[in-house]
Amino acid sequence: YDQQQQQQQQHQTQSSNPPASVNSSHAGSSVTNLPVGNESLATIEITRDLVKRFISDIWNRGEIELIPEVCHPSLRFNGHVGMDRVGHDGFARMVTTVRDALTDYHCEIHSMVVETNKAFCRLRFTGKHTGVLLGFPPTGKTVAWMGASEFTCKNGKILKVWELGDVKSLEEQLKNPN
């Protein structure tokens, strides 16, 4: 019981001391002055903001110049169908490839659960298939599929993304252009 009380007091002390400054001059917030290597400095608010910026700014608007603000230089994106990417450049190529194949690409967060430096999302992806995607020639048809992602943040940046999409559903739509 005493050990539980001590842990609660430590948690309350850590919670009451903000670990980083947040700059809200941009549409989303940015995190500054985080010491290197201390994952415990993540907060639910910082993690939630990073994931929202990752999806809305980078994926939905294609603002790949924001990748260094939102993503750690060692970013690892483990996606479905072998679309794994490492680092800012690899991830930027992935975003460009998907957005070139799907006009009006959009990712919608259906639900999000955040635990300090981790976020879990259920997502819906849509876009008009106007370029080669997964080896399928353009169909001109609007496609939609669901997915789930786990985000891991470190030092105020997204370090890892693990994503599992309903690729079977997407492939069925790409196979049948009618």
Side-chain angles (χ1 to χ4, degrees), residues 78-123:
N78 297 82
H80 47 279
V81 298
M83 290 188 88
D84 296 355
R85 294 292 181 261
V86 177
H88 292 167
D89 292 340
F91 179 57
R93 284 191 303 276
M94 180 184 190
V95 171
T96 300
T97 298
V98 171
R99 290 182 54 79
D100 285 349
L102 296 170
T103 304
D104 299 324
Y105 175 84
H106 186 77
C107 177
E108 179 182 356
I109 300 172
H110 274 225
S111 61
M112 180 190 297
V113 177
V114 180
E115 295 180 354
T116 317
N117 73 320
K118 294 239 184 218
F120 303 86
C121 298
R122 186 169 59 98
L123 306 165

Side-chain angles (χ1 to χ4, degrees), residues 117-175:
N117 73 320
K118 294 239 184 218
F120 303 86
C121 298
R122 186 169 59 98
L123 306 165
R124 182 171 188 262
F125 310 96
T126 58
K128 186 173 182 181
H129 184 213
T130 56
V132 176
L133 182 65
L134 304 177
F136 292 95
T139 61
K141 141 183 194 181
T142 298
V143 294
W145 70 102
M146 297 298 291
S149 294
E150 173 192 38
F151 297 85
T152 303
C153 299
K154 182 175 183 179
N155 303 325
K157 309 274 184 179
I158 294 174
L159 176 65
K160 295 181 203 167
V161 181
W162 178 87
E163 183 175 281
L164 181 61
D166 184 359
V167 178
K168 182 84 170 153
S169 168
L170 175 59
E171 287 176 337
E172 287 301 316
Q173 295 171 69
L174 298 175
K175 284 180 193 174

